[in-house]
Structures are given as structure tokens and as C-alpha cells.
Amino acid sequence: MTLRVFSHEQLTDEVRCDHLIIGSGAGASVAGMQLAKAGLDVVMIEEGSHHPTESFDSNVGRQTAMLYRNGGITPFMGNPSIAFAEGRCVGGTTVINGGLIWRTPDWILEEWSRNHGLHSYSMEHLSRHFATIETNLHVQKTSVESVADNLDSLRLHQGARQLGWNSVVVPRAVRNCRNSNLCPTGCPSGAKQSMALSYLPSATNNGARLYSGCRAVRIEHQGGRVTGVVVQSGKSDSRTIHLRCDHLILGAGAIQSPHLLRRSGLVRGRTEFQFHLNLKFIVDFEEPVHAGNGTIFTTQVQEFQRDGMLLMAANIQPAYVALPFAGKHASEIATVLERYDHLALYTAMIRPRGRGRIFSGLGPQPLLRAQLTDTDVRLAKEACMNSVKVFFTAGARTVYLPLKGAPAVTSADQAAEILAKARRAQFEFVSVHAMSSLPMSNTQSPVNEAGQLNGYSNLFVMDASVLPTNIGESPQGTIMAFAHELAERYLEKDRSG
Amino acid sequence: MVVSSIRGLIAHQIEFSDAGKSAEMVDRVLASTLQMLAELAWFQRYPVLLLAATTTLVCRIRHGTTLDKLDAELRKKFIARAGNLPVYDLLVKLLGSIALLHYFDAVEDRHKA
């Protein structure tokens, strides 16, 4: 199935639709496909451009500038500042993520039922949606022992097992992975099943009209009903279009969806969000690992998942090894890069309790601020310590910690000393998962259990915004399962008039 | 006022080799960096430009020239000292990150050519 995308020049005031979807990421694509397959008149608008697989290459800088919002530079201001990365292209963040598809942990769904009243979103309700997603995205687990090239994941797995820790193989949405190690900059072989290769072609094949390069700037509404959306079409040649629609579904992501609602006067007051934090480690092994020959995230250490910590291998490119040393002189970076064949990159992901906040009204882009708690800082230190233990057990010679000004460590004891004195401002966090900015609940909450924005009969949200809390695991599977359930309820409501 | 400091920070970041030290490479990475800066929201872009302008001023006062024209060793010391200031290290880190991404692209393109 081929994806058909209309360019922004083809979007005019004459375009009208019954069901307008803003966004083309994980949630929006599910909604688009489900509604189109049901025979509804659907238009999808995506702010970013369409970049087909053939256009992807190994130029990390150029691909990052092309596929990420702000070229990958969107900070959460705070102490410390956190680098946030999200996709801005047809397919959204699914084009630049690792393609991990996990079912929501049971304890998370139980927490949501207990604390947020979401009794009809149990695994019993969601499991058929997960099965559909896993089929549609060709989700599979690759045995790490069978992939001779994936030594960085194998080392991690073996190190964890030696410590008696739980380490599992990761389910990923890939078909015939070629180990090109370019997941975060667009899979050049088309192996990773982003929305642009799966749900969106199905949506457009069933009649959905998808326009790229179109940014929604304001939702027009009157008397508790959405009447349309003002769209800025194009960049240098931009035009303002007034799109009329009978129903609106927001799938622009956990930052942009609430930002748009706030700019449109549909949500007022404080808008907070939750997120995950990543800590990146560079590990220098005694023996060569040739991590560049492998791929991303094939194993995950889940020993401390209930405590909010995960550990996995990350993609490696010379640029990614150099980035943590940005600011230091090139000669210092060159010394590290000389050991490239011995190097591997790992990510520890933590589930913080801290919150982010979205400030709108400063222009088209929101200002984002995040505040971490003392518990989060303790969790980060524990994650670093657990990671270091696995690395040295796995045969590491040196570990570079994600701490400003910290020397490379050659033992877990040395790491412990450094971490004990580390201040929060030293941590170099990255975030790639934002969520829960319009949390769904059956009690006081912006969005009800059907994804409907309270007070507006024809406005729905179907993206990461609606998840009640962060989940401590890659959220794509959860976002899509929720979107499947929400789309089903939406269709039932539509049929019943 | 601003570009000379950004060029200087880029040169500091990418002078891995003769290729990295060449004016052609620095200018190529500079062009990509300025393009990315132009895409930032105003409340991110203006602080970066202000810090770059301040760098130019301080460098001129201390050394009588701009950061990009400083001798490599002197430039290294200047950036290391300035990097101890709380906000300045963010500037150096941000511009350094962008420069590194585009430097490795340029190296890759050279290998392909």
C-alpha cells in the first residue's frame, strides 16, 4: 500500500470534511485509519513534511534537522535543563523512535483504574487492540544471541544475567531489520514500521486525505462546538486557510495538542505534563563490540522496572558518541573516538515524579519548563549506579557518566563516590517521551473516558496527552491501544448519532 | 557581531583534523548551524544571540580580536573559562552539539564523494 500525501499547496478554503484529525503520529494515525476504514470522510493535517523512506540517508545532522521539531533542540527549562526531542514530519515521532511496542504494564493499568477511575481500560479491554497493533506493525522479538553483530545488546544481557537481574528481549515494530543503526534519523531500509509505512497508507488507501506542511494555529468554536480550524499552510509561502469540519480529533502530541487548545481558549489555567528521562552512558569495553554493526534496544534490563528504571542499548554513530562532550575541545573528543570499535551507547530510562509545565502565548511555540523532585534525583543516581554495575560486570573498561564535569570511571566504587556528591544541575538528561497533559479520567479532568474534551461535544483527543500518568516504558504501544479504543467508542457514538 | 563568536565556537568544536580546521569546513558547519538557530523560537534564539554578542564584546576587550580569529590555544582557554559561567556553558553545549552533528555529516559526505 502506498501512502498518498497532498502538499500544503493543495489545501484550500474549499476543502471541507466531516472529521478533521490534527497530527499524523501514533494516536492520530490509528484514528485516521479506523475512521477511514469505517467509511467516514476524514482529513488529516500534519505540520511537518513528508519524507519518504528513499530520502533517508546516514547524515545524522541533516536528518535530525529534517525530521525533528526545532532540529531536535526543544529544552525543558529548569534545574537542570532537559533536552526534549520529538518528531515533526508525516508519521510523527514514530519515524524517529526505536519502534519498541510494549503492552502497558499491568500495575500501571491497575493504578489508572484505582486512582483515575479508568475501569474500562484494563488489559482485558485493551489486549485485542494490542494484538491488532502487533499484527499490523509486524512486531517481533529478535533473539540477541542469534544476531552476531549485536554485541552491545548481548553484553548488556549477559552482564545483567550474571548479576541475576531480569533482562528480556524487546518487541519491536520491524520487518527484515538490516542493522543500519539509524533508527533515530529515519530507517533507510523501511524495516522499522513507522506510521508512515503502516497505518497512514491504510488510512489514505481508504479515502483519508492527508495534507503535509499544514500547521493548525487556532481552533474556532462557538457555543460548545468546534466549527473549524485555522491552518497556516507552508512556511516561506505561507497562507492562512480556514478549514471547516463537523468533528475534530486532536492527535498532535502531548505538548502541541494542549498548546493548541490553550491558544484557542479551550483550556485555561495551568497545563502540566509528565515525561520520562533518559541518561546516556558511553561504555568502553576491553574487547571490541563493533556496536555500529548492531541495532537499537534489542534487550532491556527490567530488574528495576517497578521502581521506575530501565536500561537498554542505544544507537551508536560517531556523532552520538561526540554529543555528550559538546563544548569540550575537539582533541578531547578525538581521544574517546579512537576507541570507537570498543564503544557502546546505553540509555537508562527513569519514570520521574516531577512535572513539566506548558506556557503558551509567547508565539507559535510553547515554552516548556520541568521541575524534578529530590526523589527523581535519587532515582537518577540509583539508575546510574545500577547501570555502572551491569557495565563493569559485562566487561567494561571505562564508563562515561551522564554528569557534567565528571571524569570517566573505571570501577563501580569510583562511580559511587562521584554520584554521592553529584548535584542535580550536573545531570545531563534527555527526554523523548512527553505525556499526560490532558489526562483522561472519570472524575475532574479535561478529557473524559471517551477522549472528549469536557464542554465540547465534537472535540476529541487521541494521543499521548490522554494517558493519566507516565508509564515507565516506551509509550507507543499504549498510545496506539488507547487510540484504538477511543476510535471505537467514537465510531459507536457517530453511528448512534 | 554574533557570527564571529559562533564561528569561533564551531572551530573549537570541530578541529579534529586538518579537514576540521579548514575554513571551508568551518563555514559549511556554520551555515548549517545558523540555519538551525533561525528555526528556534524567539525565546530560545535571542538568548543564544545575546550570549554570542557578549562573547564578541568580551573577547575584543580582552584580546583585541574576535573569537574566530584567536589562536587555537588561546581560544580553548577563553572558552574553558567562560564555560564555568552557569548560562554560558548552555550556549557552548548547544552550539557545540549542532556543530558536531553537521561536522560528522560533512565528513561522511567527503567519504562518499
Side-chain angles (χ1 to χ4, degrees):
Chain A
M1 261 188 288
T2 314
L3 172 61
R4 183 152 185 225
V5 182
F6 294 101
S7 84
H8 61 88
E9 287 119 352
Q10 292 166 290
L11 186 70
T12 64
D13 279 326
E14 275 84 52
V15 172
R16 225 205 142 278
C17 64
D18 294 342
H19 307 270
L20 177 61
I21 299 174
I22 299 177
S24 67
S29 296
V30 170
M33 185 187 87
Q34 294 294 87
L35 269 58
K37 275 175 113 171
L40 300 189
D41 172 39
V42 176
V43 163
M44 300 178 73
I45 57 169
E46 162 57 48
E47 182 187 351
S49 301
H50 177 223
H51 301 282
T53 299
E54 312 75 83
S55 69
F56 296 155
D57 62 23
S58 51
N59 280 30
V60 169
R62 195 160 57 228
Q63 293 291 122
T64 302
M66 198 166 78
L67 299 172
Y68 286 67
R69 180 174 299 283
N70 293 340
I73 311 164
T74 304
F76 297 164
M77 307 305 295
N79 179 25
S81 285
I82 297 163
F84 175 61
E86 64 173 344
R88 192 185 67 173
C89 54
V90 169
T93 302
T94 69
V95 175
I96 52 148
N97 68 7
L100 278 70
I101 304 293
W102 290 102
R103 297 193 174 203
T104 321
D106 287 335
W107 62 87
I108 296 292
L109 293 175
E110 282 157 20
E111 185 187 307
W112 289 349
S113 174
R114 198 171 52 244
N115 299 343
H116 301 271
L118 290 189
H119 308 305
S120 59
Y121 284 86
S122 65
M123 187 49 76
E124 201 178 38
H125 290 96
L126 295 176
S127 63
R128 60 192 173 85
H129 297 312
F130 280 113
T132 300
I133 293 161
E134 287 154 5
T135 301
N136 290 348
L137 298 185
H138 307 278
V139 173
Q140 57 186 273
K141 296 181 184 185
T142 308
S143 153
V144 66
E145 282 93 350
S146 73
V147 181
D149 292 340
N150 210 321
L151 292 181
D152 52 345
S153 289
L154 184 61
R155 288 276 181 276
L156 182 72
H157 191 63
Q158 289 171 338
R161 288 292 171 95
Q162 254 183 280
L163 288 167
W165 290 357
N166 181 25
S167 174
V168 300
V169 178
V170 169
R172 296 182 63 225
V174 289
R175 281 174 97 171
N176 306 317
C177 180
R178 309 253 177 95
N179 288 331
S180 46
N181 226 311
L182 292 165
C183 314
T185 51
C187 177
S189 68
K192 187 178 73 177
Q193 298 298 288
S194 73
M195 293 300 100
L197 298 182
S198 54
Y199 278 67
L200 287 174
S202 180
T204 61
N205 209 48
N206 280 285
R209 291 166 284 161
L210 169 58
Y211 294 86
S212 66
C214 298
R215 181 186 166 89
V217 294
R218 196 174 67 252
I219 299 169
E220 296 179 314
H221 54 97
Q222 196 172 13
R225 279 192 67 83
V226 170
T227 55
V229 174
V230 178
V231 176
Q232 190 175 332
S233 153
K235 274 177 116 178
S236 52
D237 56 341
S238 84
R239 299 170 295 133
T240 301
I241 310 273
H242 292 260
L243 264 185
R244 298 283 151 228
C245 63
D246 292 333
H247 304 85
L248 179 63
I249 293 173
L250 275 185
I255 302 297
Q256 298 299 323
S257 283
H259 177 56
L260 179 61
L261 289 173
R262 289 172 61 84
R263 291 188 76 196
S264 308
L266 288 157
V267 157
R268 293 182 200 279
R270 203 176 166 96
T271 301
E272 293 189 334
F273 63 93
Q274 297 187 34
F275 49 92
H276 295 146
L277 289 175
N278 288 351
L279 291 155
K280 292 211 175 280
F281 301 85
I282 300 171
V283 179
D284 183 347
F285 286 95
E286 294 285 359
E287 301 300 321
V289 290
H290 301 292
N293 295 344
T295 190
I296 191 177
F297 299 156
T298 48
T299 59
Q300 191 177 81
V301 179
Q302 293 190 339
E303 179 71 15
F304 305 100
Q305 188 177 17
R306 292 289 288 249
D307 301 321
M309 282 180 254
L310 294 169
L311 179 60
M312 49 215 138
N315 285 108
I316 190 169
Q317 296 287 334
Y320 296 149
V321 172
L323 280 179
F325 302 101
K328 293 193 182 297
H329 188 256
S331 57
E332 292 185 58
I333 304 176
T335 306
V336 178
L337 284 172
E338 271 165 20
R339 299 270 305 164
Y340 190 73
D341 286 343
H342 294 251
L343 300 181
L345 287 182
Y346 296 95
T347 297
M349 191 178 87
I350 65 174
R351 184 189 177 207
R353 292 174 199 193
R355 297 283 185 271
R357 199 171 154 195
I358 298 172
F359 293 88
S360 305
L362 292 168
Q365 301 273 12
L367 179 93
L368 306 172
R369 201 171 151 69
Q371 200 154 352
L372 301 184
T373 67
D374 290 340
T375 306
D376 297 337
V377 177
R378 265 196 305 276
L379 188 62
K381 290 186 180 186
E382 277 171 36
C384 285
M385 211 46 239
N386 290 335
S387 303
V388 158
K389 278 184 193 155
V390 173
F391 299 147
F392 286 115
T393 305
R397 172 179 109 145
T398 308
V399 175
Y400 296 88
L401 297 170
L403 282 177
K404 257 181 268 193
V409 298
T410 53
S411 71
D413 289 340
Q414 190 187 4
E417 265 185 57
I418 291 169
L419 286 164
K421 296 177 203 154
R423 293 168 288 110
R424 66 167 63 203
Q426 283 179 269
F427 279 94
E428 297 191 321
F429 290 115
V430 175
S431 180
V432 295
H433 300 151
M435 61 203 84
S436 316
S437 45
L438 298 164
M440 191 195 300
S441 168
N442 71 347
T443 56
Q444 255 184 326
S445 158
V447 167
N448 67 19
E449 278 190 72
Q452 187 179 359
L453 188 74
N454 287 320
Y456 293 87
S457 58
N458 62 345
L459 174 49
F460 295 80
V461 186
M462 295 188 193
D463 60 26
S465 312
V466 303
L467 303 183
T469 69
N470 56 11
I471 59 176
E473 186 50 278
S474 294
Q476 185 180 335
T478 302
I479 295 166
M480 292 181 72
F482 267 62
H484 266 282
E485 178 64 24
L486 288 167
E488 233 175 55
R489 296 183 189 204
Y490 180 93
L491 287 169
E492 270 169 40
K493 186 171 185 291
D494 188 74
R495 278 184 215 115
S496 63
Chain B
M1 178 84 174
V2 161
V3 173
S4 60
S5 286
I6 296 176
R7 188 187 280 114
L9 285 163
I10 287 170
H12 164 85
Q13 194 64 90
I14 69 169
E15 46 197 9
F16 288 94
S17 60
D18 288 341
K21 288 172 189 164
S22 74
E24 183 214 337
M25 179 67 89
V26 172
D27 284 342
R28 176 180 162 157
V29 173
L30 174 66
S32 302
T33 303
L34 292 175
Q35 198 171 3
M36 278 182 84
L37 285 177
E39 302 269 325
L40 294 179
W42 67 265
F43 49 81
Q44 294 166 323
R45 191 170 66 251
Y46 289 151
V48 170
L49 298 179
L50 186 62
L51 282 170
T54 308
T55 302
T56 302
L57 201 59
V58 171
C59 197
R60 271 206 185 277
I61 291 169
R62 271 190 80 87
H63 299 289
T65 186
T66 51
L67 192 65
D68 57 336
K69 293 190 169 62
L70 268 187
D71 159 76
E73 270 309 305
L74 215 49
R75 182 168 59 221
K76 204 169 148 182
K77 284 181 185 153
F78 182 96
I79 292 170
R81 284 184 77 178
N84 290 325
L85 300 169
V87 177
Y88 198 83
D89 73 332
L90 283 179
L91 168 77
V92 173
K93 188 97 183 163
L94 171 68
L95 290 175
S97 300
I98 301 173
L100 284 167
L101 281 176
H102 291 287
Y103 166 76
F104 284 105
D105 276 3
V107 166
E108 169 114 3
D109 286 345
R110 279 189 180 207
H111 285 148
K112 283 180 195 163

